Amino acid sequence: MSGMASDHSNSSQEGYIPHYLQKEDPFASKLSREADIVAGFYLTIIGILSTLGNGYVIFMSSKRKKKLRPAEIMTVNLAVCDLGISVVGKPFSIISFFSHRWMFGWIGCRWYGWAGFFFGCGSLITMTAVSLDRYLKICHLSYGTWLKRHHAFICLAIIWAYATFWATVPFAGVGSYAPEPFGTSCTLDWWLAQASVAGQAFVLSILFFCLLFPTAVIVFSYVKIILKVKSSTKEVAHYDTRIQSSHILEMKLTKVAMLICAGFLIAWIPYAVVSVWSAFGRPDSVPIQFSVVPTLLAKSAAMYNPIIYQVIDCKFACCRSWGLKAKSSSKKSR
């Protein structure tokens, strides 16, 4: 504890002492044992469903890996990020909730915080890249003629480098990872913003580059897509069957991307709001019992995506089979 206190000596330079330095044991659960058990079961179910769902998506994609379109390669990368969160992160928090305290010390706390932020940032930046791809594909048709698979892999390298940079920045001395106020999970040290201007700069940089800017790009892309689709639906109806089929496939991929982004943002925005309030609001003004709910909601984001894939695929398969039946019946009538 003395080592951690020295690491965060700057945190109390203006009289504010963060929650993890106020008590001798920052990793003791501040929730009731019953609440911890409920949270532990909840995360266990989420972790199992997420692991099975994203593992299935990756497995099925690997069987047709040479035929994956660039947008589908991005979707597989999103499944990899979600699987990473489930496999690397959730066991730590599940064990801690059932144990009624964080069991892995400061080293485990930093690792858990890094892994959660790394895969979470990777997921959001992947969705940002997918939204840009959809925007260019739908709104600027010439873009699709030169985009190849190797461009998608270059984009993946940029995404992983971006996530690695921002997740590792706190270890360079400009930020940190710390336990959540309820004690059984860890996250970015949002509370540094209460202590110094440098802490505020760190938190604002994270918020802008890892949340606000990507979210703005996603919203812009899909608003433009919606407007474009409304204006071009009638035009596509006059094209031949091959162009219509290509348009249907592109719209299927766009629907998948839009639903995934919406699910991710719905899951993470409450947590982001609570984090910003913790960073810039009145110190310790967020009730501990309230802070755990957005955290659990954010941890469930990795479970939604495989469900979205399957729902859209089923609808697409039904539409495709219906179209084939319609064609065969028209031939017979002729």
Side-chain angles (χ1 to χ4, degrees):
M1 177 59 67
S2 60
M4 192 61 193
S6 62
D7 290 343
H8 292 274
S9 59
N10 292 332
S11 298
S12 58
Q13 66 179 14
E14 295 182 7
Y16 171 69
I17 300 177
H19 63 273
Y20 50 82
L21 294 180
Q22 292 176 3
K23 299 180 181 180
E24 293 183 359
D25 188 359
F27 298 126
S29 176
K30 312 306 185 298
L31 304 174
S32 66
R33 186 171 293 275
E34 292 76 13
D36 276 337
I37 291 174
V38 171
F41 275 115
Y42 170 80
L43 288 181
T44 300
I45 295 172
I46 293 296
I48 292 173
L49 293 177
S50 175
T51 301
L52 293 177
N54 288 291
Y56 175 77
V57 170
I58 295 171
F59 172 74
M60 294 302 294
S61 299
S62 66
K63 296 174 67 174
R64 51 185 295 268
K65 57 186 177 182
K66 293 183 179 180
K67 298 181 179 179
L68 291 176
R69 300 159 65 90
E72 293 173 315
I73 292 173
M74 294 293 182
T75 304
V76 173
N77 189 65
L78 185 59
V80 171
C81 291
D82 291 340
L83 184 64
I85 292 174
S86 301
V87 173
V88 176
K90 282 188 173 60
F92 286 82
S93 54
I94 291 171
I95 292 171
S96 297
F97 273 115
F98 281 126
S99 301
H100 198 50
R101 63 172 288 108
W102 178 259
M103 298 295 294
F104 306 98
W106 282 108
I107 294 178
C109 182
R110 293 188 180 106
W111 159 251
Y112 178 85
W114 181 90
F117 185 45
F118 172 72
F119 288 114
C121 182
S123 295
L124 183 57
I125 303 305
T126 299
M127 286 185 286
T128 305
V130 170
S131 69
L132 280 174
D133 172 76
R134 296 293 84 206
Y135 164 69
L136 294 172
K137 185 72 174 180
I138 301 298
C139 300
H140 302 277
L141 298 180
S142 60
Y143 164 79
T145 61
W146 64 266
L147 180 69
K148 306 299 180 183
R149 283 166 56 93
H150 69 272
H151 293 118
F153 290 114
I154 293 172
C155 188
L156 291 186
I158 295 173
I159 290 169
W160 287 110
Y162 192 93
T164 301
F165 172 79
W166 285 108
T168 310
V169 160
F171 294 128
V174 297
S176 184
Y177 294 99
E180 300 267 16
F182 51 87
T184 48
S185 181
C186 293
T187 184
L188 278 167
D189 193 347
W190 302 104
W191 302 271
L192 286 175
Q194 296 281 357
S196 65
V197 174
Q200 293 175 0
F202 163 71
V203 171
L204 288 173
S205 298
I206 291 292
L207 287 173
F208 179 78
F209 289 105
C210 300
L211 178 63
L212 297 178
F213 178 69
T215 301
V217 172
I218 290 171
V219 171
F220 168 82
S221 298
Y222 289 123
V223 168
K224 297 292 287 187
I225 287 171
I226 291 171
L227 295 176
K228 180 66 176 180
V229 168
K230 284 186 176 180
S231 64
S232 63
T233 301
K234 294 181 180 179
E235 297 176 8
V236 174
H238 297 292
Y239 294 157
D240 60 36
T241 304
R242 186 178 61 180
I243 295 177
Q244 289 181 14
S245 299
S246 176
H247 179 76
I248 291 172
L249 179 57
E250 293 300 335
M251 292 312 302
K252 173 212 168 185
L253 294 173
T254 302
K255 288 179 180 178
V256 170
M258 290 178 69
L259 288 174
I260 288 172
C261 292
F264 185 92
L265 294 177
I266 290 171
W268 278 96
I269 283 178
Y271 180 78
V273 170
V274 171
S275 299
V276 171
W277 186 262
S278 299
F280 298 102
R282 187 167 54 85
D284 304 323
S285 59
V286 179
I288 291 177
Q289 292 76 9
F290 179 76
S291 67
V292 70
V293 176
T295 301
L296 295 177
L297 179 62
K299 292 179 187 297
S300 68
M303 180 189 69
Y304 303 149
N305 296 340
I307 298 174
I308 294 171
Y309 303 149
Q310 295 307 311
V311 170
I312 297 295
D313 278 341
C314 288
K315 289 177 66 178
F316 181 66
C318 290
C319 293
R320 184 168 51 188
S321 63
W322 182 86
L324 291 174
K325 290 179 181 178
K327 286 182 183 179
S328 62
S329 62
S330 64
K331 288 181 179 179
K332 289 179 180 179
S333 64
R334 291 177 186 176

